[in-house]
């Protein structure tokens, strides 16, 4: 939990200045204004130092990493054409290696939703910032959900089972249509048509029927529950539905649909229940509504990170 003085106006200004200074397109005029702000009061310099520490603490992606990533991608493509092996910039390659699904077969970026047809005729619909890899053999069709959420429509193939790895478990299709969502601290599976078999270590496998949902994680498989499948599938229509969902989870969900992190600055407000329907393309509006209807304050730092405080 942050100290109370971390929510003061000077600290908020420092966060915004720090974010602005990370932008590779920052102007000379901005730099002059920043220098003047920094020199105007010793408290500004102190607050700026705290902003730097906070930025590092939450591992916020900075523009220079994105620049290195683009350069690395260009090198990789060029090397592939030449039949050689790419020699990547050490910093960028090390960073990319930590990102789940960076080498996935199918993936979407922040705010993007896309459907893909697999070689066997099955389809995957990926939600924002999601990634899936495939490994099809003569005996099985295996997929790995690295991040995000996916809706699977499985083509019949009696000779090869269809298995999705997600988190610390697997989901085997016993029918045709189901949804898998990978989000800390676990994985949630919703069956829209027929049934699936969910398997997780040290837990008895469980068959989940149409219209039911189950979650699993490090503590094993939870008890299945009936669910409104239309609500679960709202993301496929560009909407997310929350019914008495804790604010911390709502912010995590919204973060998937935008560039930059959303940081909850006070644990005391994390359990505030939220009931709302938001457009996935309008996360700024969603945050504005949250700020207007809940006892919280939302501070955007140049689009790279958004801080949510107790008001």
């Amino acid at each position: 939990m942050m100290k109370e003085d971390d929510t003061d106006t000077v600290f908020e200004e420092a966060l915004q200045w720090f974010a602005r200074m990370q932008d590779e397109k920052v102007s000379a005029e901005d730099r002059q204004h920043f220098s003047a702000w920094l020199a105007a009061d010793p408290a500004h310099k102190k607050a700026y130092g705290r902003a730097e520490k906070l930025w590092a603490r939450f591992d916020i992606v900075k523009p220079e990493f994105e620049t290195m990533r683009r350069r690395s991608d260009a090198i990789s493509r060029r090397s592939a054409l030449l039949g050689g092996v790419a020699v990547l910039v050490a910093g960028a390659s090390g960073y990319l290696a930590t990102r789940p699904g960076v080498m996935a077969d199918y993936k979407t970026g922040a705010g993007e939703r896309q459907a893909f047809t697999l070689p066997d005729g099955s389809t995957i619909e990926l939600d924002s910032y999601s990634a899936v890899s495939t490994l099809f053999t003569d005996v099985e069709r295996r997929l790995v959900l690295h991040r995000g959420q996916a809706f699977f429509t499985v083509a019949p193939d009696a000779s090869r089972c269809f298995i999705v790895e997600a988190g610390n478990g697997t989901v085997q299709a016993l029918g045709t249509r189901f949804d898998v969502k990978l989000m800390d601290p676990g994985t949630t599976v919703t069956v829209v048509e027929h049934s699936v078999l969910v398997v997780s270590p040290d837990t008895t496998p469980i068959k989940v029927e149409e219209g039911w949902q189950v979650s699993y994680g490090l503590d094993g498989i939870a008890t299945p529950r009936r669910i409104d499948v239309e609500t679960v599938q709202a993301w496929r229509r560009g909407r997310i539905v929350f019914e008495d969902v804790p604010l911390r989870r709502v912010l995590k969900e919204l973060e998937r649909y935008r560039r930059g992190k959303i940081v909850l600055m006070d644990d005391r407000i994390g359990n505030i229940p939220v009931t709302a329907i938001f457009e996935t393309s309008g996360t700024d509006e969603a945050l504005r509504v949250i700020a207007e209807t809940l006892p919280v304050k939302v501070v955007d730092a140049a689009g790279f990170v958004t801080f949510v405080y107790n008001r």
Side-chain angles (χ1 to χ4, degrees):
M1 186 180 299
M2 303 303 297
K3 298 177 181 178
E4 190 66 27
D5 64 352
D6 280 341
T7 64
D8 62 30
T9 303
V10 174
F11 184 61
E12 292 174 11
E13 291 178 359
L15 287 169
Q16 294 177 18
W17 273 118
F18 188 87
R20 192 178 305 172
M21 290 301 101
Q22 306 313 299
D23 192 340
E24 59 189 11
K25 296 180 180 179
V26 64
S27 67
E29 184 179 5
D30 280 336
R31 294 187 184 280
Q32 290 175 356
H33 287 312
F34 168 64
S35 296
W37 177 84
L38 205 60
D41 190 325
H44 292 180
K45 187 173 182 180
K46 182 179 178 181
Y48 193 78
R50 298 210 316 269
E52 289 179 308
K53 291 179 182 178
L54 181 68
W55 199 268
R57 172 185 167 189
F58 287 104
D59 189 30
I60 295 163
V61 180
K62 303 173 182 65
E64 59 263 34
F65 280 110
E66 288 300 307
T67 300
M68 287 192 290
R69 179 186 62 78
R70 289 192 293 270
R71 289 174 181 168
S72 298
D73 287 347
I75 293 172
S76 298
R77 288 192 296 270
R78 185 164 59 250
S79 299
L81 288 173
L82 294 174
V85 178
V87 180
L88 303 182
V89 178
S93 61
Y95 169 73
L96 283 170
T98 68
R99 315 312 291 176
V102 69
M103 300 302 289
D105 298 310
Y106 307 98
K107 53 189 172 183
T108 53
E112 182 184 10
R113 189 173 73 251
Q114 192 169 348
F116 303 93
T117 300
L118 303 180
D120 70 329
S122 300
T123 61
I124 313 173
E125 188 171 347
L126 293 184
D127 196 8
S128 172
Y129 195 62
S130 301
V132 170
S133 291
T134 58
L135 179 61
F136 282 20
T137 68
D138 292 337
V139 295
E140 72 173 12
R141 297 167 289 172
R142 183 169 292 265
L143 303 90
V144 180
L145 178 62
H146 298 283
R147 63 173 189 251
Q149 186 167 9
F151 186 85
F152 300 90
T153 301
V154 183
D157 186 340
S159 64
R160 295 187 299 172
C161 56
F162 189 100
I163 298 174
V164 177
E165 294 182 18
N168 66 328
T170 62
V171 183
Q172 180 176 342
L174 303 177
T176 53
R177 303 172 72 215
F178 60 98
D179 184 285
V180 182
K181 181 178 182 180
L182 181 58
M183 186 174 177
D184 186 46
T187 304
T188 301
V189 181
T190 306
V191 182
V192 174
E193 193 171 276
H194 297 141
S195 59
V196 301
L197 183 68
V198 175
V199 181
S200 189
D202 304 320
T203 307
T204 302
I206 187 167
K207 185 178 180 181
V208 186
E209 301 289 350
E210 180 177 319
W212 289 74
Q213 181 182 83
V214 71
S215 297
Y216 64 84
L218 296 179
D219 295 332
I221 304 174
T223 303
R225 57 191 179 276
R226 274 206 171 275
I227 194 73
D228 179 358
V229 294
E230 292 304 313
T231 297
V232 173
Q233 296 181 82
W235 65 267
R236 301 176 65 201
R237 301 184 296 276
R239 293 182 176 180
I240 37 178
V241 180
F242 301 109
E243 297 180 14
D244 289 327
V245 175
L247 177 61
R248 62 170 49 86
R249 271 188 55 200
V250 172
L251 297 179
K252 271 293 183 186
E253 285 277 3
L254 293 176
E255 186 179 74
R256 293 175 50 226
Y257 295 94
R258 60 192 281 119
R259 298 188 183 280
K261 292 184 71 67
I262 301 176
V263 180
L264 184 65
M265 300 294 286
D266 192 329
D267 288 338
R268 292 173 296 179
I269 60 176
N271 289 326
I272 296 176
V274 177
T275 297
I277 299 176
F278 295 129
E279 299 290 332
T280 58
S281 60
T283 55
D284 286 342
E285 175 66 12
L287 289 170
R288 184 189 66 77
V289 170
I290 287 172
E292 289 181 351
T293 57
L294 300 179
V296 304
K297 179 169 56 173
V298 176
V299 178
D300 178 62
F304 296 126
V305 59
T306 300
F307 297 95
V308 180
Y309 296 94
N310 185 22
R311 186 166 60 193

